[in-house]
Amino acid sequence: MAFMRREFCILLMLSLFPIFSCTSENKSDAKIINIESDVDNWQVANLSSFAKNILYVPLQTIDSLALQGNGRMVFSENLILVRDGKNCLLYDFKGNFISKIGNQGKGPGEYLYISDMGIAYRKEPKIYISQNADLFEYNMDGSFVDKYRNSLLINDTTAARRWEIIRDSLIFGHVDNNTGKVKLKAVIKNKYGKIIKEFKNYDLLNRGAGGPEGEVSIYPFKNLIYYKELENDTLFYLDNNNELISEYVFNLGKYKEPSSERILFPQGPSFFNYLHVWYAFQIEDQLFINCQYGNRFPAKRLTASSIGPGAPETLFNTTYALGIYNKKTKKLFFCKPTSTDNPLFTTGINNDLDAGPRFFPQAQVNDSTLVMWMTSFDLKMHIQSDDFKNNNPKFPEKKKELQDTSDKLTYYDNPVIMFVIFRK
């Protein structure tokens, strides 16, 4: 993701005068988005209504460093950082490989696994990788700089699992409420572990044990950092005074999972009986809401499928629906999904520009660019499908370009990133 820049004097003030205070969740000024009333408001949405361009960027495949699956990706102004279960790789925006960041192992500067990662901009970009509470710093060429032991530690047992580098040197970190009783929801720290700000958790449960409740969304928009937890109904932004401000509240009404169910275990047996808002990315006039519909998702595969030998069969490609909220009209609808065996044609915004995959944003690059990524296998299967062949897009020449891009890939190449640039 792109990261925020601030004047040096602000950074100096923050480092000299740390604030140990908590943020309340006063939602009186927040805008209410009533998902309950529009949960079945399905409409066909076309990319041509929002976007001005699409770019497909295959990540360069090097045999010895081939990525396993899609992994997680972080985007800066011109860099892409990708991790899988073993490696952390750096690319430019054309998909060209730059370097492998560090190594997996037990030696100096090596990590056993990657909890999260980020890019900081100063005179020269630095790459950061976390392993639980430890933070590793690397140069762009992948060489090791330093290790900051326990810098992400919150208490004796909890560390910030998901974090974002803000103002080029500070870390905004999310704290998992795995037991239901964790006192903090987020912190701001420097890389040495010094706490700048604490944010109190008001969503407490009497849960004895558990694990992470789900993914958390932290992204930049209009020089602010936005923050959304899975089980919290609010999208916050971090202002320049380090306060979390409620901007949008998602009203799930009767579709919200009650605390009596959540108390049992994160994402337990009842999870798919309710709706959950995972992400909410945005551009100038629209908010894109990633909503887990669970058992209410209306589209199914035409044939049952399994993720592997011995795994149970399923009739779902996905149970996620994309909501589009118009900030000006305050109207919400959900993109109508399609029953198909093609996972890239099930849900999201219909791609009437080049007949490519439906767009379902996974990350925010800047104020007008959102991205999703897919395996080369899924893209090639989409190009071979009737969903692609029978689609007559607005720009047939771009459809041909996409087919040519797919033809150059093997089924085992690295993922392909779909950049969508929206009109301002």
Side-chain angles (χ1 to χ4, degrees):
M1 290 182 173
F3 300 108
M4 301 167 57
R5 299 176 181 270
R6 286 293 182 272
E7 296 296 331
F8 175 76
C9 60
I10 297 178
L11 297 178
L12 181 62
M13 291 175 63
L14 286 171
S15 63
L16 292 176
F17 302 102
I19 305 170
F20 295 87
S21 62
C22 298
T23 294
S24 64
E25 293 190 14
N26 184 351
K27 303 173 184 177
S28 58
D29 296 328
K31 306 171 187 69
I32 307 297
I33 299 179
N34 197 343
I35 292 178
E36 181 184 27
S37 62
D38 287 305
V39 70
D40 293 320
N41 181 12
W42 301 104
Q43 298 181 28
V44 175
N46 292 319
L47 267 180
S48 61
S49 300
F50 310 100
K52 67 177 183 179
N53 197 14
I54 302 175
L55 300 174
Y56 296 92
V57 178
L59 295 179
Q60 182 182 354
T61 302
I62 298 174
D63 290 343
S64 61
L65 296 175
L67 291 163
Q68 304 300 310
N70 278 342
R72 168 165 151 68
M73 300 189 188
V74 171
F75 298 82
S76 73
E77 296 172 352
N78 53 17
L79 298 172
I80 306 168
L81 194 60
V82 186
R83 79 169 192 217
D84 59 9
K86 182 179 180 180
N87 294 316
C88 181
L89 307 180
L90 187 65
Y91 297 85
D92 65 21
F93 265 30
K94 293 183 179 180
N96 298 314
F97 175 75
I98 297 175
S99 63
K100 178 185 176 184
I101 307 300
N103 291 288
Q104 187 179 46
K106 297 182 179 180
E110 295 180 335
Y111 45 81
L112 292 175
Y113 58 89
I114 302 172
S115 301
D116 205 359
M117 56 192 183
I119 306 172
Y121 275 88
R122 299 184 192 90
K123 289 184 178 179
E124 176 146 347
K126 298 292 183 182
I127 310 299
Y128 290 90
I129 289 175
S130 63
Q131 175 187 282
N132 196 22
D134 295 336
L135 192 67
F136 297 77
E137 183 178 357
Y138 300 90
N139 293 312
M140 271 188 64
D141 63 4
S143 59
F144 176 65
V145 176
D146 207 346
K147 177 181 178 179
Y148 307 95
R149 190 176 297 277
N150 290 330
S151 67
L152 298 177
L153 195 66
I154 307 303
N155 53 43
D156 292 338
T157 59
T158 304
R161 177 178 63 91
R162 172 75 177 90
W163 46 268
E164 184 88 0
I165 298 174
I166 63 173
R167 302 170 194 136
D168 295 341
S169 66
L170 299 177
I171 298 170
F172 176 84
H174 166 72
V175 183
D176 279 324
N177 188 19
N178 50 357
T179 65
K181 303 173 186 176
V182 178
K183 294 181 179 180
L184 300 179
K185 67 189 295 175
V187 294
I188 297 177
K189 306 184 82 175
N190 63 23
K191 65 183 180 181
Y192 303 102
K194 184 176 182 179
I195 294 178
I196 307 301
K197 185 73 178 267
E198 296 179 338
F199 302 94
K200 186 176 179 180
N201 175 32
Y202 293 90
D203 186 20
L204 299 176
L205 299 166
N206 189 25
R207 180 192 294 146
E213 286 205 308
E215 190 56 74
V216 61
S217 178
I218 309 173
Y219 66 89
F221 180 69
K222 289 197 169 181
N223 295 321
L224 297 170
I225 288 292
Y226 278 77
Y227 171 58
K228 171 73 177 68
E229 307 159 88
L230 173 63
E231 294 291 0
N232 194 307
D233 61 2
T234 306
L235 177 63
F236 299 93
Y237 66 85
L238 184 70
D239 70 7
N240 294 326
N241 295 316
N242 288 337
E243 296 292 340
L244 279 179
I245 308 299
S246 307
E247 182 160 10
Y248 295 99
V249 173
F250 304 100
N251 176 30
L252 292 170
K254 63 183 179 182
Y255 303 108
K256 181 177 176 63
E257 184 178 18
S259 296
S260 59
E261 300 287 349
R262 285 178 57 206
I263 209 170
L264 300 177
F265 195 81
Q267 297 190 38
S270 67
F271 182 84
F272 288 97
N273 294 331
Y274 302 95
L275 270 63
H276 304 267
V277 175
W278 286 70
Y279 305 143
F281 300 119
Q282 56 190 304
I283 54 175
E284 183 68 29
D285 294 332
Q286 278 80 30
L287 193 71
F288 297 103
I289 303 168
N290 180 335
C291 191
Q292 164 66 263
Y293 263 63
N295 297 329
R296 292 186 56 86
F297 192 73
K300 295 184 178 181
R301 290 180 57 88
L302 303 178
T303 56
S305 176
S306 173
I307 61 173
E313 289 191 333
T314 178
L315 282 171
F316 288 104
N317 281 320
T318 183
T319 54
Y320 295 97
L322 182 65
I324 301 180
Y325 176 78
N326 189 304
K327 298 178 185 179
K328 291 183 176 179
T329 65
K330 297 179 173 56
K331 300 293 184 181
L332 169 70
F333 69 88
F334 288 89
C335 298
K336 187 176 181 179
T338 298
S339 293
T340 174
D341 289 339
N342 180 358
L344 295 183
F345 201 75
T346 299
T347 190
I349 305 175
N350 182 49
N351 187 347
D352 63 333
L353 296 177
D354 60 19
R358 291 192 177 185
F359 184 66
F360 203 116
Q362 292 176 270
Q364 182 127 8
V365 177
N366 55 45
D367 292 355
S368 60
T369 305
L370 305 179
V371 299
M372 68 174 252
W373 49 91
M374 66 212 77
T375 64
S376 294
F377 179 88
D378 282 345
L379 178 59
K380 289 181 73 67
M381 293 303 292
H382 173 73
I383 299 302
Q384 296 172 30
S385 71
D386 290 339
D387 301 319
F388 178 79
K389 293 176 180 177
N390 298 333
N391 195 325
N392 297 312
K394 291 181 177 293
F395 302 101
E397 69 281 7
K398 289 190 173 294
K399 179 179 181 180
K400 179 62 167 57
E401 289 176 8
L402 177 57
Q403 183 162 3
D404 291 343
T405 297
S406 174
D407 290 344
K408 294 175 184 177
L409 298 171
T410 74
Y411 290 102
Y412 306 103
D413 276 338
N414 278 343
V416 178
I417 303 175
M418 180 180 180
F419 288 80
V420 174
I421 298 92
F422 289 85
R423 290 192 292 271
K424 295 182 179 180

